[in-house]
Each structure stands twice: as C-alpha cells, then as structure tokens.
Amino acid sequence: MADTIEKDVTRGGQFLVKETNCEDIFTPEDFTEEQKMMRDSVKEFVDKEIWPNKDRFEKKDYAFTEECMKKAGEMGFLSVAVPEAYGGMGMGFVDTVLVCDYISGATGSFSTAFGAHTGIGTMPITLYGTEEQKQKYVPKLASGEWFGAYCLTEPGAGSDANSGKTKAVLSDDGKYYSITGQKMWISNAGFCSLFIVFARIGDDKNITGFIVENDPSNGISMNEEEHKLGIRASSTRQVFFNETKVPVENMLSERGNGFKIAMNALNVGRIKLAAACLDAQRRVTTGAIHYANERVQFNTAIANFGAIRYKLAEMATSCYAGESATYRAAKDIENRIKAREAAGVSHQEAELKGVEEYAIECSILKVAVSEDIQNCADEGIQIFGGMGFSEDTPMESAWRDARISRIYEGTNEINRMLSVGMLIKKAMKGHVDLLGPAMKVQEELMGIPDFNTPDYTELFSEEKEMVAKLKKAFLMVAGAAVQKFGPDLDAHQQLLMAAADMLIEIYVAESTILRTEKLVKSSGDATTKEQVAMAKLYLYKAVDIVTQKGKESIISFAEEDEQRMMLMGLRRFTKYTTMPNIVALREQITTKLVAENAYCF
C-alpha cells in the first residue's frame, strides 16, 4: 500500500533530485470556482470587519479580537479544516491554506488569534483525539462557541520543547492527573475555553499532551497581558497550573506522545504561517504603490524614481514567489493525504502523514515567507519616508506585526537547521536518493565541461537549466560536508544554515519558474510578461545567494585541491550563458504595478 502511494505522489524533499513538470504543480491560477468564492468571502470579511478597525487592534482591544473571532466562527471560517462529522466543512488542505492566507493580511493580532485557535488549538484534537474527545470538543471549537490555546513553551523550554518541567501526577484512584507548572507566551489565553497542555509524567523521556478545560477554580491562573512589540491585540499571557485536575480520559493520544504531537502540529503551523504572511505582503505592496503614485516630490510622483521602482519590483517579486512555493507545497500535501485515504488509511492518519512527509518544505516556506514579509514591510516604511514611521499610516504596524513570524512555529534558525537535517535523515532512510545524484555531481566535476552553447530559444530553457545546476551546487556542498563530518554535522550549525539558504532558494526559485511556465502555456505570452520578469528576477537573486552561501561553506571546511575543485564547480554551477538585464526586468514589473495601482498578480 505504502509503495503504491510513493509511486503516485512525489515525496517530500524529492524536488532536489527529481525533475518536476509545470503541469504537475498547483498554482493560485488553478483555484476552482468554489475556492475563488471562498477567497472572496474571506476578503470581504476582512475588508469589512478587520481592516477598517486596525486602530482598535493597535490599542490592545482584546475584547474586539474575541468579537471578530466569534464573527469568523459564524461565517464558518474556523471550521474549514474540521471534518464534517464534527461540525466542520471538511475541506481540503489547499482550502485551509487559502483561508489562512486571505484572513491574515490586515493585522497580525487577528491572524495570531485565528492561527492559534484553528491550528494548534483545535487541530491536535482532530488529529490525535479519541472519538469521544472529538465529539465533545471539536464542534464547539469549529463554531467559535469555544476558543482554544496551546501550552507548550516554558521559561526554560523554548526551542528545546521536550525539556519542559511541567509535571502530571496520576491520582491514587487512577481517575485524574494533577498538572503543575508554568507556561508562557500562550496565545488566546485571555479568552480561551480550553488548553492543549504538555506535561511530563514521572521521569518519562517525552512529554504527554492533555486537553485541559479553562476553569480558574481548578488551579489555573494567569499573569496580565504581555506588552509586545507587535500583534498588540493578540491575547498573550503566562498560564500557571497548580495541581489542576485533568480526567485521565483527557490525555491526548498516548503517554509520552506529546513531543510527536507538538512537532507535527508545528509542521502544519509552519506552512500556515507562510500562508498567513502572503496577504500581508499583498496589502503592504499595494499600500506602497498607492503612496508612490500619490506622493509628489520634485514635481513628479515618486513612483517615477528608479530607487522607488526598484523597491516595488522586489516587493512584488518576493510575494509572487512566496505564493508560488506555498501553494505548490499545499497541493502536494493534499495529494499525499488523498492518496493515503484512497489506500484505506483514516483521515487522521492520512493528514498526519501527509504533512509530516513535507516537513522539509514546510520549514523552507516558514523561513522564506516570514523573512519576505519583514523585508517587504521595511521597504514599505522606506517608501512612505517619515510618514512610514508614524502610527497614522499602516506600515509601522505591519513591520512590528511581521517581526514575530520569524520567531514562532520554531525560530527561523531552528527551521533552517531542521530543513537540512530532515533531508539528510530522509536520505539515510532511503526515502530520497541524495547519494546517487551527489556521486554523479562529483564525477561531473572530474570530467571536461561542455563548451557548446545550448539552444535557449524556448521559454525558461536556460532558467530551468540554471535551477538544475543550483541543485548540483547544493548536492556538491552538502554531500562533501556529510562526508567530512558524518553524524557530527549537527554540531556545525553555520554550515547547516548556509546549506539551508541554498535549499530554500532552489525550492522557491523552481516553484516560481514552474508556476509562470504553466501560466504562459495556459494564458499566452501577451498577458504574462511581468510574471516572466518576476520569475527571472527571483532566479537571478537566488543564484547570487547560492553562490555566496556555497563559497562560504566550501572555504570553511574544504582545503587545498578539494577546495579549489569545489570552488571551480560552484562557478560552473552558478554561471549564466546569457545574463538577464535586471534593471529592465524591474522596470517591466513596476510599470505594470504603477499602472494598476496595486499588487495585481
């Protein structure tokens, strides 16, 4: 059964060693009519209820956040991923990502409340809960009658989540556990009805998950709301449990399974976080275009100045690229889930394994898109100039809200190291053949290069060859590092981080090119020139990053002949035959943006 699934659906991480055709990826242009209706419904909700009230979120109106969450529940937006049997819509993974994308762009406060509730607050029960637990809790969470929160982080256990000190002690009569400990940075704590709490039983190696109803009379207390840089109206508190009694039937999954639950919840959370950064980028970019068109200096709109046009083109390109990669991965996950369900696996197991399969891509996306929205908001402030620094414009709040996205769902440093670490583990398990392709790259380095000029008349023929060469560069560098350090590679974090940056750029650049190629084939050249320009611009910058990070790695662990050989290989694998005109590409992109007065892709 598993063999059939693996033949039919590309495995996570295989993008590095397997050629992907543009017809085989999903893009935002492939949304069904039903998905477009859902998208438009979410946008209408945000534009009516959230966007006009940004000042209330900035003034820490926690009650208003809760009010908006209840309205989202009434609209059905909290139940998209919940199976119909428990009061949900039972929609696919792409639909879940789409709703998360478009509901999250106006303010990080609501986005965080929504994500914490639908993701880590509800999902652990739908995926790990018993039938009784799901029947009891999930319908209330799906409707917005109840809200959920997730208690994992402790003062001494942040990135090292499994080191938590919160204890769960079984009562003498075996009917309940007493939970005692302190949790911090708990989103939705101020208005939640239940917590997913992780605690350690005895001297267990791994923590255990529990469903804990929020009852202050049961030893649950909280600190005041945290004062935060951004997401100001997202309720965030420390929560204290003092011999809080939890019935044994409220244990989530099995004893010692908490760390696995936490990690899988974070995998799903990572791709959703990437999605949650996308509409923020669209709105920031559109806001910057509006201002650039309206602001006149030296008798002309600043949108006519090259320095501003540079920024607008880069902002739009990073957004388009992030969309391309996020929806590609979302559909891959959905396909994997459907394939497992078709093979007779339960929905719970299929979804868990589907997301787990693409954990590498989830980490890649979390890093890439969270950093893109930060850069986008930063440039937005710069385009607004002095006004960008003022609370009277939306740019400064967008910048502050963006900052947390590089920290939660696992810091970007952790996710960088995870992406490469998981890839190597997959290779060792035989799930992704890295060794064969890496050996071929070594043989290629020893051979004589082909000096013939290929025929690049077909669209993206050189760009796709460049992506293939970037993959060789990664295999060369990562393969040599694994050979040199073996299992001790984990200790060389700077090398892992550099390799991760190479991996990220390869995945996002390839996704962007494949999306655009598919779009051109369906829509023709006339209406897709700007998307082609963005794909080429993104790749050019990706090549630069792969060059820089590859060189940094090679000169840090290789010496003498090996170093010279690898540096020569890196130059070969990052060399264009025909360099793109980067200024012309940016001009083409910005001309369209300025004319449309919005992010229009």
Side-chain angles (χ1 to χ4, degrees), residues 106 169 581:
V169 179
N581 182 334

Side-chain angles (χ1 to χ4, degrees), residues 61 76 110 136 138 185 202-204 233 270 309 457 461 532 555:
D61 191 339
F110 180 80
K136 182 176 181 181
V138 176
W185 311 124
D203 294 325
D204 286 2
R270 283 163 186 155
R309 295 173 76 81
T457 51
S461 49
V532 170
I555 62 177

Side-chain angles (χ1 to χ4, degrees), residues 275-567:
C277 294
L278 291 175
D279 199 48
Q281 280 188 265
R282 295 186 198 103
R283 287 175 182 266
V284 166
T285 303
T286 293
I289 296 165
H290 285 173
Y291 188 82
N293 273 332
E294 292 165 5
R295 176 67 167 166
V296 173
Q297 291 286 275
F298 307 105
N299 298 317
T300 185
I302 65 171
N304 294 319
F305 295 135
I308 301 298
R309 295 173 76 81
Y310 171 104
K311 294 179 189 300
L312 294 176
E314 295 288 345
M315 291 160 75
T317 298
S318 71
C319 184
Y320 179 76
E323 288 173 351
S324 307
T326 300
Y327 283 100
R328 174 190 183 181
K331 184 61 172 177
D332 281 342
I333 291 170
E334 181 172 290
N335 289 344
R336 186 81 174 177
I337 292 168
K338 286 180 177 176
R340 285 191 166 272
E341 286 179 327
V345 176
S346 71
H347 172 75
Q348 280 176 289
E349 184 69 13
E351 186 144 332
L352 278 169
K353 292 296 183 184
V355 176
E356 189 177 353
E357 178 63 48
Y358 292 94
I360 294 166
E361 286 82 353
C362 290
S363 282
I364 283 172
L365 290 166
K366 192 273 181 186
V367 174
V369 189
S370 68
E371 293 181 0
D372 283 344
I373 178 55
Q374 186 81 68
N375 293 335
C376 187
D378 194 73
E379 291 288 45
I381 289 176
Q382 199 70 12
I383 289 169
F384 271 67
M387 287 303 297
F389 207 69
S390 169
E391 289 186 3
D392 291 337
T393 62
M395 288 298 163
E396 65 88 33
S397 63
W399 185 88
R400 286 187 289 99
D401 282 355
R403 189 59 186 86
I404 187 62
S405 59
R406 286 157 55 197
I407 298 172
Y408 56 22
E409 306 295 352
T411 67
N412 283 12
E413 291 71 27
I414 289 287
N415 274 286
R416 277 183 162 89
M417 291 184 284
L418 271 175
S419 62
V420 178
M422 289 187 291
L423 182 65
I424 292 169
K425 282 178 185 171
K426 269 184 170 264
M428 289 176 174
K429 288 179 181 177
H431 292 174
V432 177
D433 178 20
L434 292 184
L435 184 61
M439 293 297 289
K440 284 182 181 176
V441 171
Q442 284 191 346
E443 290 170 14
E444 187 176 334
L445 286 178
M446 303 300 291
I448 299 170
D450 183 358
F451 293 107
N452 293 324
T453 302
D455 178 8
Y456 289 137
T457 51
E458 188 179 336
L459 176 67
F460 288 140
S461 49
E462 179 166 11
E463 285 76 15
K464 288 199 283 188
E465 186 174 296
M466 283 300 301
V467 170
K469 291 196 293 186
L470 296 184
K471 292 177 183 181
K472 290 178 183 179
F474 176 86
L475 289 167
M476 175 185 71
V477 173
V482 169
Q483 281 184 325
K484 185 174 182 69
F485 300 112
D488 295 332
L489 183 60
D490 282 353
H492 298 270
Q493 291 190 352
Q494 292 188 49
L495 292 179
L496 285 173
M497 300 267 283
D501 283 338
M502 298 170 76
L503 192 65
I504 289 164
E505 294 305 322
I506 290 165
Y507 185 71
V508 178
E510 181 180 64
S511 301
T512 309
I513 288 165
L514 291 174
R515 172 189 180 180
T516 311
E517 183 186 14
K518 187 176 185 181
L519 179 61
V520 172
K521 285 184 177 180
S522 65
S523 302
D525 296 338
T527 59
T528 53
K529 288 184 172 64
E530 293 79 21
Q531 289 92 329
V532 170
M534 287 191 288
K536 290 182 176 183
L537 176 60
Y538 191 92
L539 176 64
Y540 175 81
K541 293 176 72 84
V543 171
D544 262 4
I545 291 169
V546 170
T547 302
Q548 177 197 344
K549 297 298 180 178
K551 182 179 178 182
E552 179 183 312
S553 299
I554 292 165
I555 62 177
S556 298
F557 73 80
E559 297 176 344
E560 297 178 347
D561 286 348
E562 183 191 19
Q563 184 186 100
R564 283 191 288 274
M565 179 71 74
M566 289 179 70
L567 288 173

Side-chain angles (χ1 to χ4, degrees), residues 232-278:
R232 287 180 170 175
S234 160
S235 176
T236 312
R237 294 185 173 191
Q238 288 191 49
V239 181
F240 301 90
F241 300 96
N242 184 16
E243 296 189 1
T244 299
K245 293 181 179 180
V246 184
V248 290
E249 58 266 26
N250 274 31
M251 180 186 287
L252 196 55
S253 186
E254 301 166 2
R255 177 171 174 170
N257 220 22
F259 186 62
K260 186 176 182 181
I261 295 170
M263 292 304 101
N264 280 329
L266 290 173
N267 285 336
V268 181
R270 283 163 186 155
I271 186 170
K272 286 186 178 178
L273 177 62
C277 294
L278 291 175

